[in-house]
Amino acid sequence: YSLPRAAPSEILHPSKVVRRRRACSRIGGIPVRSSSLPLFSDAMPAPTQLFFPLIRNCELSRIYGTACYCHHKHLCCSSSYIPQSRLRYTPHPAYATFCRPKENWWQYTQGRRYASTPQKFYLTPPQVNSILKANEYSFKVPEFDGKNVSSILGFDSNQLPANAPIEDRRSAATCLQTRGMLLGVFDGHAGCACSQAVSERLFYYIAVSLLPHETLLEIENAVESGRALLPILQWHKHPNDYFSKEASKLYFNSLRTYWQELIDLNTGESTDIDVKEALINAFKRLDNDISLEAQVGDPNSFLNYLVLRVAFSGATACVAHVDGVDLHVANTGDSRAMLGVQEEDGSWSAVTLSNDHNAQNERELERLKLEHPKSEAKSVVKQDRLLGLLMPFRAFGDVKFKWSIDLQKRVIESGPDQLNDNEYTKFIPPNYHTPPYLTAEPEVTYHRLRPQDKFLVLATDGLWETMHRQDVVRIVGEYLTGMHHQQPIAVGGYKVTLGQMHGLLTERRTKMSSVFEDQNAATHLIRHAVGNNEFGTVDHERLSKMLSLPEELARMYRDDITIIVVQFNSHVVGAYQNQE
């Protein structure tokens, strides 16, 4: 049995849900990702009608956890109800046998009667704010940092989980030995191990790639003599954005090998550093190190398992490097960078600075087909997924799409028991003939900032699946400037009574007076992404329902959302322009 797609309010009414089993993908004003069979549909041991009272009484996890057991929990840590189209990686259908009901499972559900009266629970506005603001972070760039006047005023960032634990990561840091600032969002899949590692390590690889030959020599000499190292990055982190202390030595040794190779390759004759080339080299080198560390292993059992988890999971990355008026965006996967531009009349327009690397990108499809024999033209991408399994066509990690079959078997057999007993890691993708099928090489876009370029939005696909890019830029622009253009309310073909229209106008006026309830632009954007109704305004009841969904259902309605909003200093940008 598959759980019918329904709005949170309808989850409380079994009779309604049964009648609307084939309902459209937008019910009750709350969009649900496009439908498909649940991931482990064979593992559902009872009719959905049985579980609706349990959902209502918040006892699904207790009863279902007793009725079912799982041999490989990390493979089905997401809800069994998640449609395949919501998953970045779709396991093979054979995985449905990994979860099976206990014998006489029904006995566990007979011990208690459940009330049939629907109960509604809504979060109060303070509770909603507490959830939305739990991971927010803001940083204001000092006007004078001792070296240069920055073209960045500051940035706001925030995250809203859908997975448990969240698979997204974010990073922001100032380059201390060169100029500029690095900001990035990372979207993990098949777990959070790879996105965590990339969020910790990638900026160091980029910073090292940007360093001049003399500075690299100075750093290497300091390591050799045991002296203190020059700081390379100043991190700007939320307390929840942690670093893995156990792997720090391993990560440092890999980074040191990289800068030693840069020293050997560079004789010091050339002083010009190509930022685009540095970004590409850093992405590719980190992905290569992730792969190599997993192949070599580590005598420490914890680290050995960690590097294998990082390599067998995956992550996309969208990183911006801002130095004066020079903006470079390096993107691998389907996160996006969007520039907010304010026109002369005060309106806002969106300029896309990245391309999605998935089946909707014709150039990516063509690239994949050219990299493999014509005999694989029909199998390399199936159902809009790489080999029928993976949504992004570029990513870190995911060695199951990069290593040869022999190498995969050798590493698994020599690895720890947790890996050798893992059916996911032992599974070989179908039609796997000419690896690698996946690359971490980024697509780099350059943009020269202008005074009308007011801000940059970096966000994982959880935001872009929910909101159109123009709406994202308009909402952020109006928030940052405090200017709201009073355009006619569009009802999108709905029949609206005069009373309903009056209510919409009153709600918009109330919204304008309380727009500064959020002190963080990313939080304000998440509020709209989750709480917007069909009229484009935040509906508190809808927002409350979406934020109070249990972990078993939240991933069914949305993905993790991670956002960084970078605000530019138009006066500094204009001064750069006037100097030229």
Side-chain angles (χ1 to χ4, degrees), residues 281 286 534:
N281 291 340
L286 174 56
E534 58 268 33

Side-chain angles (χ1 to χ4, degrees), residues 28 34 98 136 157 185 188 195 230 286 450 458 465 504 515 521 531:
S34 56
F98 292 161
E136 70 178 10
S157 70
V185 293
S195 58
L230 291 171
L286 174 56
R450 308 159 297 173
L458 301 171
E465 290 173 350
L504 289 172
V515 67

Side-chain angles (χ1 to χ4, degrees), residues 28-49:
I30 296 182
V32 184
R33 280 180 161 180
S34 56
S35 62
S36 171
L37 288 176
L39 176 57
F40 299 109
S41 56
D42 294 344
M44 294 293 289
T48 54
Q49 293 93 325

Side-chain angles (χ1 to χ4, degrees), residues 512-524:
M512 288 178 57
S513 63
S514 61
V515 67
F516 293 108
E517 175 183 9
D518 296 317
Q519 303 300 315
N520 182 296
T523 303
H524 189 67

Side-chain angles (χ1 to χ4, degrees), residues 70-77 98-99 418 421-424:
C70 175
H71 295 291
H72 302 279
K73 183 171 178 58
H74 70 280
L75 288 176
C76 52
C77 56
F98 292 161
C99 292
Q418 302 102 308
D421 295 339
N422 187 326
E423 296 296 334
Y424 162 66

Side-chain angles (χ1 to χ4, degrees), residues 475 478-479 481-486 511-512 515-516 524:
I475 289 170
E478 291 180 351
Y479 170 84
T481 62
M483 296 172 57
H484 299 265
H485 291 270
Q486 297 302 307
K511 169 190 164 187
M512 288 178 57
V515 67
F516 293 108
H524 189 67

Side-chain angles (χ1 to χ4, degrees), residues 212-232:
H213 182 73
E214 296 77 12
T215 307
L216 289 173
L217 282 174
E218 187 177 347
I219 292 175
E220 174 60 20
N221 292 333
V223 175
E224 282 287 344
S225 61
R227 290 184 285 111
L229 290 177
L230 291 171
I232 298 175

